[in-house]
Amino acid sequence: MSTREAAIEAVERYFDSGGFREELAARVAVQSSSREEEHGKDLMAYQDQLMRPRFEAMGFDVSIHANPGLARAPFLVARRVEDPHLPTLFCYGHGDTVPGEEGRWKEGRDPWTLDVAPDERWGERWYGRGTADNKGQHAINMEAMRHVIETRGRLGYNVTFLIEMAEEMGSPGLREFCFSQKELLKADLLIASDGPRLVADKPDMKLGTRGVMNFRLRLEYREGGHHSGNWGGLLANPAVVLMHAITSIIDRDGHVKLQAIKPERMPNSVRAALGGIEVVPGPDDPSIDPWWGERGFTAAEKVFGWNTFEVLSFISGNPDKPQNAVPPFAEAVCQIRFVVDTDPDSFLPAIREHLKAQGYEGIEIDGMRQEIMRASRLDPDHPAVDWARKSIEKSLGVKPGVIPNSGGSLPNDIFLDLLGMPTIWVPHSYPGCSQHAPDEHVLAPLMRDGLRMATGLFWDLGDGFPTG
């Protein structure tokens, strides 16, 4: 029977039979860590040996393209053109992961083997590197689309699906590739999945992302350490000086003091959209520190509507074998997450000027090899937003939350601003999934709901595209 309900029932049977678990296990088994050069062959294998045949079996034409920014991380473009006059859906996913961190997973788990563990609340947790970020999420969208095609016999629109293999490196080369392939990648709407839901038991949609910039602060006074008994009190300690330099940017309560790296104000439309959003940690999430961050802001405003400054690492001397010596250098890796109302190109010049004005001489400030991911945000009044909200509610019986932009970062600005398509992100993970850490996992019922939700969305598009 060719109905929406039949497609959703078919994808439910597929999940319940273990078919989706087997598919995800095959993806997890590819050690596609993009940050480690030795896994270059795995990045290509994911695209050519895993993705290519799956897309071709769904009636897609597949091409693999060189990455101008990172040679070992090719792009895959899969296209299904049912009629050149029909609108086109754009989908995105990344097959690369962060390093596996072998030996650090609980119960001796291998990060590259999908491990299913019972859970009292959620039924099952599926452990493995990439389960949440992002193999499991684009697998859901691909399998949902496959079931729509098999049930209906067609989609009723065209699809372009882009898989990249360097998102965890900041998507080097993606902007250049998309700029050079504008005609190939032209589409009318993006629906993709990455990141977590705000809370595990309620679906939501994000309309954009915060941007992210990583940079390094380094202060080096001399070569080698010098005995602290003989030289302590005489030689300036770079660790102490660098710590004070950082606290001139952000105070002890997490309030960013340097106005030049913050927005002037939060738009009323964003504040209104976030008014009904409550950030409530789940049982597996850390507790929020209400005293930390921008003063007078709600938790949702802090993480979705404002800029934040983080110190990701700080090193001086030898942490593993500390010596009784004044260290010669100190180095911190810092990060700014930012919304669309600020210009990231101004951040490092502003920090240099600020530190100089504060009398901190000799601190080197430089960007990292990762590219800047810029902020983006679709207008919440766009017709596609209400259309997607209604589709999800029809599939799951729950009204999804609508969040102007996620707290994390993705290359969404390339799709929204460069390629000019409205963007809707529907996450299938949850905040406690341990992405980027040992014990990364997904929750089985969220995977099943994700398949139902995506199947409904892809079916409904065949009944008419939402246009702005």
Side-chain angles (χ1 to χ4, degrees), residues 45-275:
Y46 190 84
Q47 299 283 50
D48 194 40
Q49 299 174 26
L50 206 61
M51 293 297 95
R52 181 193 290 275
R54 280 154 175 78
F55 276 116
E56 290 177 341
M58 292 166 59
F60 283 72
D61 295 322
V62 178
S63 55
I64 295 178
H65 303 259
N67 185 338
L70 189 65
R72 66 176 180 271
F75 298 110
L76 180 144
V77 177
R79 300 182 72 214
R80 178 184 168 99
V81 180
E82 295 188 353
D83 184 333
H85 298 99
L86 289 173
T88 298
L89 172 68
F90 189 92
C91 296
Y92 163 87
H94 68 89
D96 68 312
T97 70
V98 298
E101 299 184 271
E102 292 86 343
R104 297 187 57 200
W105 292 54
K106 293 178 181 176
E107 299 182 19
R109 291 189 176 95
D110 172 17
W112 308 110
T113 301
L114 187 71
D115 184 62
V116 178
D119 183 88
E120 184 175 340
R121 180 182 181 191
W122 298 106
E124 291 179 346
R125 295 179 185 231
W126 298 358
Y127 289 87
R129 181 59 84 219
T131 50
D133 190 15
N134 173 259
K135 295 176 178 180
Q137 302 218 43
H138 65 262
I140 284 174
N141 293 341
M142 289 174 64
E143 292 302 312
M145 191 172 291
R146 179 171 70 84
H147 279 80
V148 171
I149 294 170
E150 291 179 355
T151 302
R152 190 182 239 162
R154 59 183 175 85
L155 290 170
Y157 49 91
N158 307 317
V159 179
T160 298
F161 213 124
L162 171 66
I163 303 289
E164 74 156 315
M165 300 303 294
E167 193 273 346
E168 300 297 359
M169 295 280 290
S171 296
L174 180 61
R175 185 178 303 275
E176 298 169 67
F177 175 71
C178 289
F179 182 80
S180 68
Q181 300 290 335
K182 277 186 176 181
E183 191 61 31
L184 176 71
L185 303 177
K186 184 170 62 176
D188 300 281
L189 174 68
L190 175 146
I191 296 178
S193 303
D194 204 328
R197 296 177 173 185
L198 182 59
V199 292
D201 54 4
K202 181 182 178 181
D204 63 49
M205 338 187 299
K206 275 85 171 185
L207 311 183
T209 62
R210 284 199 299 181
V212 61
M213 170 190 279
N214 286 10
F215 60 97
R216 181 182 289 105
L217 301 177
R218 182 179 175 90
L219 180 59
E220 186 167 357
Y221 280 149
R222 60 192 69 86
E223 290 187 14
H226 293 267
H227 194 284
S228 58
N230 298 330
W231 294 98
L234 300 177
L235 298 180
N237 190 311
V240 175
V241 175
L242 188 58
M243 282 189 287
H244 281 276
I246 291 172
T247 57
S248 74
I249 299 172
I250 181 171
D251 70 16
R252 58 172 294 189
D253 297 329
H255 171 77
V256 179
K257 298 159 66 175
L258 180 55
Q259 180 58 48
I261 61 172
K262 298 194 297 184
E264 288 293 331
R265 54 183 290 276
M266 185 181 300
N268 291 335
S269 60
V270 174
R271 195 178 293 275
L274 294 175

Side-chain angles (χ1 to χ4, degrees), residues 24 29 63 68 166 192 288 314 334 356 376 443 453 466:
L24 183 53
S63 55
I288 292 174
F314 193 105
C334 304
K356 182 178 179 180
S376 59
L443 303 175
M453 181 166 47

Side-chain angles (χ1 to χ4, degrees), residues 23-43:
E23 172 61 30
L24 183 53
R27 298 180 186 228
V28 169
V30 182
Q31 300 184 26
S32 52
S33 168
S34 57
R35 298 180 187 176
E36 299 168 301
E37 293 186 12
E38 61 268 28
H39 288 297
K41 63 181 184 303
D42 298 303
L43 304 184

